[in-house]
């Protein structure tokens, strides 16, 4: 019994390390999103850290339009980054979860 428990604890520690490494790697994965007309481009990491914003000069003439562009484009980029982030972290976590009856249904 204790051997199984120690094995599970070791596996959980390994999984924690893998999760941490995955989070660090996701800082290097860039997600780019461009407005439908190409006037605004945003780039952020899969950990949802904003890296750059490129704004066409024509958008600088209308504050409300620029705000709308930023909201729409950033929300799309954040959604993509979130999907990547959650997928990657779930895969690492699922791989490291000990075989406990009923636990596998949590990751489906």
């Amino acid at each position: 019994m204790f051997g199984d428990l120690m094995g599970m604890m070791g596996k959980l520690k390994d999984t924690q390390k893998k999760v941490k490494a995955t989070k660090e790697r996701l800082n290097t994965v860039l997600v780019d999103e461009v407005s439908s007309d190409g006037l605004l481009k945003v780039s952020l990491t899969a950990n949802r850290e904003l890296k750059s914003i490129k704004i066409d000069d024509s958008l600088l003439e209308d504050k409300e339009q620029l705000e709308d562009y930023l909201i729409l484009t950033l929300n799309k980029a954040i959604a993509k980054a979130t999907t990547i982030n959650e997928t990657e972290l779930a895969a690492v976590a699922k791989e490291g979860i000990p075989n406990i009856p009923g636990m596998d249904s949590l990751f489906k």
Side-chain angles (χ1 to χ4, degrees):
M1 177 177 158
F2 287 114
D4 289 343
L5 183 59
M6 294 305 288
M8 282 194 289
M9 293 302 289
K11 193 169 186 178
L12 287 173
K13 284 188 185 273
D14 288 344
T15 300
Q16 285 176 326
K17 289 178 186 175
K18 287 179 183 177
V19 167
K20 183 178 179 184
T22 300
K23 286 180 179 180
E24 289 173 8
R25 184 180 56 77
L26 290 174
N27 280 328
T28 65
V29 175
L30 292 180
V31 176
D32 295 323
E33 185 64 40
V34 181
S35 63
S36 59
D37 56 8
L39 297 178
L40 178 71
K41 179 181 178 183
V42 298
S43 182
L44 57 143
T45 70
N47 282 328
R48 297 169 298 258
E49 181 180 325
L50 189 60
K51 289 296 187 178
S52 70
I53 299 177
K54 294 187 178 164
I55 303 170
D56 186 271
D57 289 341
S58 64
L59 288 176
L60 299 176
E61 298 169 10
D62 185 345
K63 180 181 180 238
E64 284 183 31
Q65 182 183 19
L66 175 57
E67 290 169 347
D68 290 342
Y69 268 72
L70 284 167
I71 290 168
L72 290 171
T73 308
L74 283 168
N75 281 337
K76 285 181 186 178
I78 291 168
K80 284 182 182 178
T82 298
T83 299
I84 293 168
N85 184 288
E86 290 175 353
T87 301
E88 293 279 331
L89 291 175
V92 172
K94 184 177 180 181
E95 176 185 306
I97 296 295
N99 189 13
I100 300 171
M103 288 295 286
D104 59 341
S105 65
L106 296 174
F107 295 99
K108 288 183 181 178

